[in-house]
Amino acid sequence: MTVRVRFAPSPTGMFHVGGARSALQNWIYAKQQGGVFVLRIEDTDAARNKPEWTEGILSALDWIGISRGSYEGPYFQSANAGEHRAAAARLYESDRAYYCDCTREDVQARTGSQYQGYDGYHRDLGLGPGEGRALRFRTPDEGTTVVVDLIRGEPTFENKLIEDFVIARGDGSPVFLLANVVDDMTMGITHVIRAEEHLPNTPKQQLLWEALGVKPPIWAHVPVVVNEKRQKLSKRRDKVALEAYRDEGYLAGAMRNYLMLLGWAPSGDREIVPWSVIEDEFRLDEVNLSSAFFDEKKLRAFNGEYIRALPVAEFIDACQPWLTGTETIAPPPWQPEEFDADAFAAVALLAQTRIAVLSEIVPNVDFLFLASPLIDEAAWTKTMKDGSAELLDDAVAAFEALESWDAESLKSTLEAVGAERGLKLGKTQAPVRVAVTGRTVGLPLFESLEVLGRERSLTRIRAARLRLV
């Protein structure tokens, strides 16, 4: 038997990081088993679906390493609508489903409770199809439904506790439960790997598989992804869009690595490992049962490690979208003609050790490409205190006398300026840094001055001095 897994997102918004984790788990499992990864776009919610969301899913999968052409699909659920309706008809004809025209208010009136499920009122009344009548599945009265789950063992559900659930609406359109089952049958899916939030629906879906005469797939319900308050990640509340992390400057390798640690860990006391190790070691039966905490701070630290591990040439290439601006990334504060590739290359290694996401490259190097620095007013107020004007005067005079404009000479010169005033280097260089870069933190000052050059550096220090008049 060829293993066939599927990833079936809906094109109704940005690509969720939890969905990305499910895609990767399916992808790896299929690869390990010599099987097939199928992409199905569940696009039957016409009111919310947009073509750009579908393209967003494809591009997000490309980014995390599941590239177009390496999987089967994408298929579109809407194209299988005829099969969905045919399956509903077969279930009705075989007496595994019946029609019902009860409203929610009708059920509440009979049961006396708004919380009780459907009471089976039309189960044996022989009501035929008609306008506004929903089709309900005839759940077995007795016995149990056992779900074979690679992660959770064999969850068992009493059939008497499963209501006769709707499989087709009053207008004849099949609901998600049935459409999902029919699609999986049509595509020959053998293993369904998905989040545990779908587990309550699984006995219903398994009953549908059996009623349609097809052996159910093997299930694997992975733990749900939660935020720091242990609440399920929500698009309305949490930062969950994979595209947002991509556009902020997270590396695909770091994101892949981190997502696979949500509920699972590689061997040994390690977390940052090559993708080949994850592909080799990942096992569904080793996935934890408890919820997986998506820790953005930890992801950020992961990303910083991945950035620092890049060869400097690759780091320079990776920074280009933020240095030049793209359709998805805001343009930098300098004009294209102001960018100096050689100047950036000269400080790239220094910047590489100081940023955790690629977008941080812009505030670290913008002083190199702007006619004058972007002054952080809070930094200016904090740094430019009594004595700063005279210190800047002394720094200009000392720097003007330098024969060699290099980092070592600049450092020793400014140290001497500070020593005459009884100041350590940190206190001495702070006003100079703000004058030249506009900020109190950033790349090493003296290497920055060397790359910026004598004329531009002195012009900025003089300008800051004049502002202090």
Side-chain angles (χ1 to χ4, degrees), residues 112-283:
S113 171
Q114 61 177 318
Y115 303 108
Q116 186 169 325
Y118 179 66
D119 58 355
Y121 180 78
H122 281 101
R123 186 180 178 96
D124 299 311
L125 295 184
L127 190 67
E131 185 177 352
R133 293 175 180 174
L135 185 63
R136 290 183 178 272
F137 182 75
R138 190 184 299 275
T139 303
D141 294 318
E142 300 178 347
T144 60
T145 296
V146 179
V147 173
V148 178
D149 193 299
L150 293 177
I151 296 172
R152 299 171 188 277
E154 295 186 352
T156 301
F157 302 83
E158 291 188 61
N159 291 333
K160 66 181 181 181
L161 299 179
I162 303 174
E163 69 174 0
D164 289 356
F165 52 93
V166 173
I167 59 175
R169 303 177 184 87
D171 62 2
S173 61
V175 302
F176 169 79
L177 280 175
L178 180 61
N180 190 267
V181 166
V182 173
D183 289 343
D184 284 347
M185 288 180 180
T186 302
M187 297 172 186
I189 301 304
T190 62
H191 294 69
V192 173
I193 305 167
R194 59 187 183 181
E196 66 176 312
E197 63 197 74
H198 297 287
L199 185 57
N201 286 329
T202 303
K204 298 178 182 179
Q205 291 181 310
Q206 184 156 310
L207 286 169
L208 287 171
W209 279 81
E210 293 168 350
L212 290 167
V214 183
K215 181 180 177 181
I218 296 172
W219 311 90
H221 289 90
V222 300
V224 69
V225 182
V226 298
N227 62 19
E228 59 185 2
K229 295 181 180 179
R230 296 306 186 267
Q231 301 167 319
K232 178 187 170 185
L233 285 185
S234 166
K235 291 181 179 180
R236 292 183 297 274
R237 181 183 56 239
D238 304 302
K239 181 180 175 182
V240 300
L242 190 71
E243 298 94 327
Y245 288 99
R246 178 194 63 195
D247 295 346
E248 190 176 337
Y250 284 82
L251 298 179
M255 180 61 77
R256 278 200 307 266
N257 189 162
Y258 182 71
L259 289 175
M260 289 302 296
L261 297 183
L262 297 178
W264 174 82
S267 61
D269 186 19
R270 55 183 181 164
E271 293 183 314
I272 296 179
V273 294
W275 184 243
S276 59
V277 171
I278 294 176
E279 287 186 320
D280 181 59
E281 294 191 1
F282 176 70
R283 297 291 183 273

